[in-house]
Amino acid sequence: MAQYLVSGANRGIGLEFVRQLLDRGERVVAACRHTARATELNRLSGQFPGHLKILPLDVAEPRSIAGLVREIDMLELRIDVLINNAGVLTSGETFGEVDPKALGQAFATNAQGPFLLAQALAPRLTDAAKVVAISSGLGSIERATRFGTPSYNISKAALNMAMRMLGHALAERGIAVLALSPGWVRTDMGGAGAELAVEQSVSHMLAVIDALVFDVAKIGWFLDHNGERVPW
Ligand SMILES: NC(=O)c1ccc[n+]([C@@H]2O[C@H](COP(=O)([O-])OP(=O)(O)OC[C@H]3O[C@@H](n4cnc5c(N)ncnc54)[C@H](OP(=O)(O)O)[C@@H]3O)[C@@H](O)[C@H]2O)c1
């Protein structure tokens, strides 16, 4: 039984990670912005007593990250697997009118947040822990063939570099770091027409995370939900 921490855990991919992890007997810290409104998480907490802690976290706010770390310390928890899942996508951006606030929010949520959260939790990670960030195929520079959702694409490319840097920082402790693309998934973000059911994407990603071990030749790699490399 390992201790996981999942950010953005109240809906979509994050919630499905929590569900599947609890189903197989793990312990989970589910972090989300509005804990009182996290109805499904609160229901799961009753269904899996002692296995689920729901804690507040806005990954875009460094003070909120510090608050979460204080709670983790008070609970005397050590984290085996950190899943940086929270993310934001602004749609409908057009060139000439990209809003600096949207770009900044995307960067703060999708790139800065996962890096700072992992940095703050680093002393609370167990040796040979795993740090995973849910990235996106839209963060692949090589695959960017059109002007689509720039704030999101730019921030996810930055997230990939953030994970690479983190991987080097944590390498001496044997902590494996990975950027993981979930595929196109039916959630609020992915929409109803997306290719993959959330259950399918998450079970694939959990298999990749389960198989993840520290390898000096694979620091901060960028993989898809099937464990295949995604071009940078
Ligand atoms: N769905 C896809 O097709 C797809 C494809 C590629 C990558 N991804 C990535 O997968 C991850 C999960 O996406 P999803 O499809 O589950 O999206 P979603 O349904 O829109 O859920 C996003 C989650 O992130 C949380 N979040 C957003 N900003 C946050 C912040 N500042 N602090 C804490 N939590 C925050 C949201 O919380 P609130 O409820 O409080 O808003 C929500 O729980 C994201 O990183 C996304 O970029 C998704």
Side-chain angles (χ1 to χ4, degrees):
M1 189 179 16
Q3 178 67 63
Y4 289 71
L5 191 153
V6 182
S7 68
N10 57 305
R11 60 188 169 103
I13 290 172
L15 178 61
E16 184 59 24
F17 267 120
V18 176
R19 277 203 194 101
Q20 293 193 20
L21 289 167
L22 290 173
D23 271 343
R24 69 183 210 188
E26 316 284 6
R27 289 186 312 256
V28 184
V29 172
C32 61
R33 286 196 275 203
H34 308 290
T35 53
R37 281 190 246 149
T39 317
E40 183 56 14
L41 284 178
N42 285 298
R43 192 192 66 73
L44 286 168
S45 149
Q47 192 184 339
F48 296 92
H51 280 247
L52 178 60
K53 294 257 179 299
I54 307 167
L55 296 179
L57 174 66
D58 183 335
V59 294
E61 293 294 337
R63 270 188 305 184
S64 177
I65 291 177
L68 178 86
V69 171
R70 275 196 301 278
E71 299 257 17
I72 297 284
D73 286 347
M74 276 192 305
L75 294 165
E76 297 183 349
L77 292 179
R78 304 261 287 162
I79 309 297
D80 298 301
V81 184
L82 167 61
I83 302 179
N84 277 296
N85 163 78
V88 68
L89 166 66
T90 303
S91 44
E93 291 180 312
T94 52
F95 186 61
E97 291 174 13
V98 172
D99 178 1
K101 272 195 199 140
L103 187 53
Q105 187 63 17
F107 183 79
T109 308
N110 297 345
Q112 170 189 303
F115 181 82
L116 292 181
L117 178 61
Q119 177 178 258
L121 285 174
R124 289 95 184 158
L125 294 174
T126 53
D127 286 333
K130 305 177 191 191
V131 176
V132 178
I134 307 306
S135 184
S136 168
L138 295 178
S140 165
I141 293 172
E142 202 169 320
R143 286 189 181 165
T145 52
R146 64 184 191 94
F147 187 92
T149 47
S151 294
Y152 187 77
N153 294 47
I154 292 166
S155 63
K156 289 291 187 180
L159 170 65
N160 291 345
M161 179 58 91
M163 290 304 109
R164 186 72 163 232
M165 290 293 102
L166 199 59
H168 285 294
L170 297 174
E172 63 182 19
R173 292 175 56 198
I175 294 175
V177 178
L178 179 69
L180 188 53
S181 168
W184 185 24
V185 189
R186 290 192 288 279
T187 62
D188 293 340
M189 185 184 289
E195 278 167 7
L196 293 170
V198 68
E199 296 83 0
Q200 201 182 359
S201 168
V202 168
S203 72
H204 289 180
M205 287 194 284
L206 276 179
V208 175
I209 295 169
D210 289 344
L212 179 65
V213 284
F214 176 77
D215 181 335
V216 75
K218 298 181 179 178
I219 289 173
W221 268 23
F222 180 23
L223 300 180
D224 69 14
H225 61 100
N226 291 316
E228 302 293 327
R229 279 197 90 174
V230 183
W232 297 114

